[in-house]
Amino acid sequence: MAIGAGGFNGRGFLQGIQSQQDYVPEQHTDFILTVIAEEFGFLGSTALLVGFAVLLGWSLYSAARSVSWFGRLASAGAVATVAFYIVFNVGMVLGLLPVVGMPLPLISYGGTAMLTTMACFGLIIAAHMHRDEKLTARGIF
């Protein structure tokens, strides 16, 4: 109901009826997208999802430009992890998937999920910084 109550433009910042009167359970973690959709409407929630798409697209582009296979695979795995968090949270909020307690990355409050997301972005940035270096096994053996 909170997603539909936002309409196209939303009700305004801190003006959502469902979210301000605590009808939305766990609105600071699992259901933060319902609060965003109610207060900022279809435009705000679409802008958030487009921002996620741009971030993941840049991460995949960075992974593809890496010379080493480790950089490519580690970045692609990190992107897949963050994309899984996003898709599962949005599906959970829309009622398409079961509610399992997975927060929206970079937006909602979450302990280990935030730690995992930050580690994934650290891997992506490290692979991007060292994208021109070829990893060899000479230093190991």
Side-chain angles (χ1 to χ4, degrees), residues 121-141:
F121 282 120
L123 255 169
I124 292 167
I125 291 171
H128 178 73
M129 287 175 53
H130 301 287
R131 67 184 174 270
D132 297 328
E133 297 176 13
K134 181 75 173 165
L135 294 177
T136 62
R138 289 186 204 190
I140 298 174
F141 298 108

Side-chain angles (χ1 to χ4, degrees), residues 58-76 123-135:
W58 174 84
S59 299
L60 280 177
Y61 175 73
S62 174
R65 289 194 53 202
S66 181
V67 175
S68 69
W69 276 101
F70 178 77
R72 285 182 191 171
L73 294 176
S75 293
L123 255 169
I124 292 167
I125 291 171
H128 178 73
M129 287 175 53
H130 301 287
R131 67 184 174 270
D132 297 328
E133 297 176 13
K134 181 75 173 165
L135 294 177

Side-chain angles (χ1 to χ4, degrees), residues 10 26 33 36 45 54 79 82 100 104-105 110 115-116 131 134-135 139-140:
E26 300 299 324
L33 188 63
I36 292 170
S45 55
V54 167
V79 169
V82 175
V100 294
L104 191 63
L115 182 69
T116 305
R131 67 184 174 270
K134 181 75 173 165
L135 294 177
I140 298 174

